[in-house]
Amino acid sequence: MARRLFVDHSLDDGAYITLKKEPSHYIKRVLRIQKGAKLELFNQNKTTAIATVQSIEKDKVVLYINAKKKVACHYPEQSLAVAVCAPQKLSWIIQKATELAVKEIWLLETEFSQNNASNLIHDAEKIKRYNKIIISACEQSGVNCLPTLHKSMKFTEWLEQDWASHTLLLADKSGSWHASVSPINKPIIWLIGPEGGFSEAEMRSLTAKKAQSIKLSPKILRMETACISALTIGHQSN
């Protein structure tokens, strides 16, 4: 299998692409790819193509697009709304959720989440850093669809939006066992609370929005484990 690389370019047959400094360095120093090697490219538009390394210079690499590649995507449409947490934990959640082809990730400031400034994502620079994790996870896993990572927002603000076209599934130890849930035809949004769970007021708000409580495991899961368990179950239930 050809090495995979995300590029911020259109992928037209017969076109040449000159990579920027960072991806050029990645090809030369990390992947150690030589001139004439084949790469599988993909972009934000879910286009995939096979390319040949045309030239390798000091500060740039030029690729030639041989042909677009048809890739079948049969991922269930599911997203993740997870409570704000520490950067290290969030990085792991984002990486694994991307590998499971999550569509969108929202970071919710709940009553019991760790809402200190270092954990919040309110600026483009932090989004950019986390997007590097997303791109790397896609390159490694074979997923071609980059999820959208949203800035941190208040739980109440997020819940006020119209989610009628989605099914809200709440990871909750007191909910229905996941295997007993009927097949779901709408896009799924999994809600994962902080280690202390959602507050009583937040739970009432979720009930008002018709969120279904789902038990993921016989045991209590840490929030990062719950995220991955939920998305894996979502693959099986569609």
Side-chain angles (χ1 to χ4, degrees):
M1 179 180 174
R3 299 291 186 92
R4 304 182 73 249
L5 183 71
F6 174 81
V7 292
D8 190 17
H9 297 269
S10 59
L11 299 175
D12 301 316
D13 293 357
Y16 290 89
I17 293 176
T18 300
L19 299 180
K20 296 178 181 178
K21 185 176 181 180
E22 188 171 341
S24 294
H25 178 271
Y26 179 69
I27 283 180
K28 292 188 296 182
R29 304 302 182 193
V30 179
L31 298 182
R32 299 186 180 278
I33 288 177
Q34 304 297 315
K35 180 180 176 180
K38 292 289 192 299
L39 289 170
E40 181 180 298
L41 308 181
F42 65 101
N43 62 16
Q44 186 69 55
N45 298 323
K46 304 178 184 178
T47 305
T48 304
I50 299 299
T52 302
V53 179
Q54 189 73 15
S55 65
I56 300 178
E57 301 176 19
K58 183 178 179 180
D59 294 323
K60 66 180 181 179
V61 171
V62 177
L63 306 177
Y64 172 76
I65 308 298
N66 299 95
K68 291 180 182 177
K69 180 180 176 182
K70 292 184 178 180
V71 178
C73 292
H74 301 294
Y75 309 122
E77 189 172 335
Q78 52 181 348
S79 299
L80 190 63
V82 58
V84 168
C85 57
Q88 184 176 4
K89 183 180 293 188
L90 179 59
S91 296
W92 193 90
I93 290 172
I94 289 172
Q95 180 190 60
K96 300 307 176 185
T98 299
E99 292 172 6
L100 288 166
V102 71
K103 184 179 180 182
E104 296 185 75
I105 302 174
W106 290 275
L107 307 174
L108 307 182
E109 300 171 40
T110 71
E111 287 191 39
F112 299 146
S113 57
Q114 303 171 23
N115 301 326
N116 49 301
S118 61
N119 295 343
L120 300 179
I121 302 179
H122 287 161
D123 61 272
E125 194 58 36
K126 280 190 177 181
I127 290 285
K128 183 178 179 180
R129 291 202 298 270
Y130 284 116
N131 275 336
K132 288 184 178 180
I133 295 173
I134 288 173
I135 290 170
S136 179
C138 283
E139 290 174 339
Q140 295 294 323
S141 65
V143 172
N144 294 324
C145 307
L146 274 67
T148 300
L149 176 64
H150 298 274
K151 295 180 180 180
S152 307
M153 62 190 307
K154 299 289 186 183
F155 169 81
T156 50
E157 181 184 348
W158 183 87
L159 201 59
E160 285 173 357
Q161 300 178 66
D162 183 5
W163 299 113
S165 60
H166 293 73
T167 296
L168 303 183
L169 297 182
L170 168 65
D172 182 6
K173 65 182 185 297
S174 63
S176 302
W177 181 241
H178 67 82
S180 66
V181 177
S182 301
I184 297 169
N185 298 319
K186 293 181 180 180
I188 293 171
I189 300 178
W190 288 99
L191 286 126
I192 310 295
E195 300 297 347
F198 289 104
S199 69
E200 290 185 9
E202 289 168 340
M203 289 295 288
R204 287 194 296 271
S205 298
L206 287 168
T207 299
K209 281 286 186 175
K210 298 183 179 180
Q212 301 179 42
S213 293
I214 303 296
K215 185 177 183 178
L216 305 177
S217 167
K219 302 296 183 180
I220 297 174
L221 303 178
R222 295 181 66 89
M223 63 181 298
E224 64 269 34
T225 309
C227 289
I228 308 314
S229 297
L231 293 171
T232 302
I233 289 168
H235 277 271
Q236 298 168 350
S237 62
N238 280 262

